[in-house]
Amino acid sequence: MVRSVAERAYLPARNLLEEIGDMMILTGRTIVSALRPPYPYGGEFVSQFLFVLKLCWFPLLISTLAICYAAPGLQAANFLTLFGALDRLGGIFILAAVREIGPAVTAVVLAGVAGTAITADLGARKIREELDALQVLGVDPVKNLVVPRFLALMVATGLFNVYAILFGIFGGLAAELVNHQPLGPFWTTFFENADTTDLWGSVVKCTVYGAIIAIICCYKGMTASGGAEGVGRAVNQAVVLAFLAVFAFNYVFTQMLLATHPEILVIK
Amino acid sequence: MATVEQQFEWHSGKNRSAGVPDAIEFIDVYKSFGSNKVLQGLNMGLPEGMISMILGPSGTGKSVCIKHIVGLLYPDSGDVVVHGQSVPSLSDAELFEFRRQFGVLFQDGALFGSLNLYDNVAFPLRQHTEKGEEEIAEIVNRRLREVGLGDAGQKMPNELSGGMRKRAGFARALVLDPQIVLFDEPDSGLDPVRTALLCELIKEIHAENGGTYVVITHDIMSARRVAEYIAVLWRGRIVEAGLAQDLFDSENPFVKQFLSGESAGPLGME
Ligand SMILES: Nc1ncnc2c1ncn2[C@@H]1O[C@H](COP(=O)(O)OP(=O)(O)OP(=O)(O)O)[C@@H](O)[C@H]1O
Ligand SMILES: [Mg+2]
């Protein structure tokens, strides 16, 4: 009994570790081929970048506006009314929207919308043996397919983070207005707590999110097997893994940022 | 579960030499995917300058063989040698150079879904040659006409039938006049007349350009029409190989059954 449970746990665990190792290797190869000439991926980069923008701008707008209005907006405002301290909502928005919710929502939307599209596209190509044909014709799939997606997703996630933060703040402003508060005190506490570290930390974090999502989604697509069903499975696994990896990385990053920049721990 | 002796009872492994050196050699190749043992000590030589056919029941690893030849899969043990070069030991850079001598038709055509037929066929020319667009157009249109797709150049792959995709893949494989041509079931999904015409085309192009052709097929009629050399593969090993006529006259029960397409014999549904 114990033995069979151990055996049943052993194989999936080993496979997962192997996959993570393979993804690390893919990351290394992607970075090396991105840097080493020639650079044939310019066109594909631009088209992937525009594709991500087109796909994500609206879902991201709705998501950040809604979640920031509801979670730190209405709920926190409700709490702050207790102390008659609704002006503190601005400070909460630095903690919540800029540092955490903006990047998290950006990652969720990009993985769910753009990442899955990438996995499905590469997976279908893998199943149709297009990737094999490319390799035989002397085209390196890492350089020509993975690198442009990797770069496009990194840049797009980094930029979209700023966009998400802006709409998140609109959500907070809306919450203030709903509670019949002037906006001045919101901005005061907002900028009192704001630090340049918050902005660059948030952008750097999101850029790495983009890299993580791109590698996981490309890897899952390029290793899809077992027909159309296999592509579906790959897409499913890609989103799950991407979420896990992004949130795990978020924990590590946040801890590191707080440890190296203790001044942002002080709430004013 | 059959014992090893029973499994390979009919595998005489007899290899009647074709009298020319081998362009492609499999030396004791083993390959498994997880617990699925696909190649189990494959020894196979495919002679230089001939049209060789690999015949065998579905799922015995014929497509896997082709992927080993071009270095898309690596053997677990054993070696694959092409023109004296050991494929598994090539570096990435060498492999890219090495693959230029091949034209490959994959089992499902493997056309690039984002390009139309014309661009698909032109792809190898643009990738590997310095030819101008005019010259490319001439070559591509000739190849497309040969396979009966002269008017379909602007169509996208997903607008085509399986047989049409196959023929377009065929045109793409030949567009660089490669030294070694690998066709994975060029005739599956085609009607009988087109199959016959395609066989003629393979022979014509081979007569014109020379080179080593390896064709995988299930179709015994195609084998009779074009094969000069035949290797029969089953359970990851060669049952028998040799010049086409020798194999058609073979006394081996498995080979006899397979080449005449009878239901009675060593091969069942399993
Ligand atoms: N990339 C792969 N991963 C896992 N298993 C594979 C892979 N490629 C092939 N196989 C397995 O190897 C075996 C042989 O497959 P292969 O495609 O070579 O058969 P085949 O002889 O070409 O058959 P058919 O005539 O039906 O095309 C099958 O059992 C298949 O499931
Ligand atoms: Mg096959």
Side-chain angles (χ1 to χ4, degrees), chain A residues 126 129 132 224-226, chain B residues 31-34 36-39 56-67 73 107 184-185 216-218 233:
Chain A
K126 163 75 183 172
E129 295 181 311
D132 289 341
S225 66
Chain B
K31 176 76 183 175
S32 5
F33 297 101
N36 181 6
K37 295 189 186 123
V38 180
L39 302 182
S58 192
T60 36
K62 302 184 296 298
S63 303
V64 169
C65 279
I66 283 209
K67 290 188 179 165
L73 289 175
Q107 190 157 358
D184 198 344
E185 302 190 15
I216 289 177
T217 185
H218 286 136
L233 187 67

Side-chain angles (χ1 to χ4, degrees), chain B:
Chain B
M1 191 63 221
T3 64
V4 174
E5 291 81 50
Q6 278 167 344
Q7 262 196 41
F8 297 113
E9 187 180 355
W10 310 109
H11 291 66
S12 66
K14 199 189 287 176
N15 188 349
R16 303 183 182 81
S17 170
V20 290
D22 289 334
I24 301 166
E25 270 176 286
F26 282 76
I27 303 166
D28 218 19
V29 174
Y30 284 81
K31 176 76 183 175
S32 5
F33 297 101
S35 61
N36 181 6
K37 295 189 186 123
V38 180
L39 302 182
Q40 307 188 52
L42 175 65
N43 282 295
M44 174 170 73
L46 300 168
E48 178 81 57
M50 283 192 174
I51 305 183
S52 304
M53 279 206 164
I54 303 178
L55 297 174
S58 192
T60 36
K62 302 184 296 298
S63 303
V64 169
C65 279
I66 283 209
K67 290 188 179 165
H68 276 86
I69 298 174
V70 288
L72 287 170
L73 289 175
Y74 292 97
D76 296 336
S77 70
D79 202 0
V80 180
V81 181
V82 176
H83 286 156
Q85 266 179 312
S86 162
V87 183
S89 56
L90 294 178
S91 70
D92 277 359
E94 288 168 328
L95 203 53
F96 276 127
E97 200 52 42
F98 166 80
R99 283 175 179 153
R100 286 184 186 208
Q101 60 186 320
F102 289 99
V104 183
L105 167 62
F106 287 95
Q107 190 157 358
D108 296 315
L111 298 181
F112 302 129
S114 54
L115 303 178
N116 65 23
L117 276 200
Y118 178 92
D119 289 330
N120 258 290
V121 178
F123 190 95
L125 290 168
R126 291 182 180 144
Q127 186 71 21
H128 285 309
T129 68
E130 301 291 317
K131 290 188 166 61
E133 277 304 312
E134 248 171 62
E135 206 178 338
I136 290 180
E138 190 194 321
I139 301 174
V140 171
N141 287 326
R142 177 163 60 86
R143 286 291 182 218
L144 282 175
R145 271 198 309 277
E146 277 175 352
V147 295
L149 292 171
D151 311 323
Q154 298 311 313
K155 291 223 168 85
M156 299 304 282
N158 58 11
E159 301 171 321
L160 301 176
S161 74
M164 287 165 93
R165 278 203 289 273
K166 207 56 167 284
R167 284 183 276 150
F170 182 90
R172 187 179 68 185
L174 286 171
V175 76
L176 284 174
D177 297 328
Q179 267 315 293
I180 303 181
V181 181
L182 310 173
F183 290 136
D184 198 344
E185 302 190 15
D187 48 12
S188 70
L190 294 188
D191 55 79
V193 177
R194 287 239 170 69
T195 304
L197 289 171
L198 195 76
C199 288
E200 285 307 311
L201 189 61
I202 293 179
K203 271 163 84 172
E204 261 171 45
I205 296 175
H206 182 253
E208 202 178 304
N209 294 333
T212 304
Y213 282 37
V214 179
V215 185
I216 289 177
T217 185
H218 286 136
D219 187 35
I220 306 307
M221 282 302 287
S222 306
R224 282 197 188 276
R225 282 199 190 95
V226 293
E228 296 172 331
Y229 185 88
I230 292 180
V232 178
L233 187 67
W234 187 35
R235 290 183 171 155
R237 286 194 198 173
I238 290 297
V239 181
E240 251 187 71
L243 289 174
Q245 208 42 57
D246 294 340
L247 269 233
F248 281 112
D249 296 340
S250 169
E251 288 302 320
N252 184 314
F254 179 86
V255 176
K256 260 173 108 164
Q257 181 199 2
F258 199 74
L259 294 188
S260 59
E262 278 162 16
S263 57
L267 178 62
M269 265 297 188
E270 314 180 22

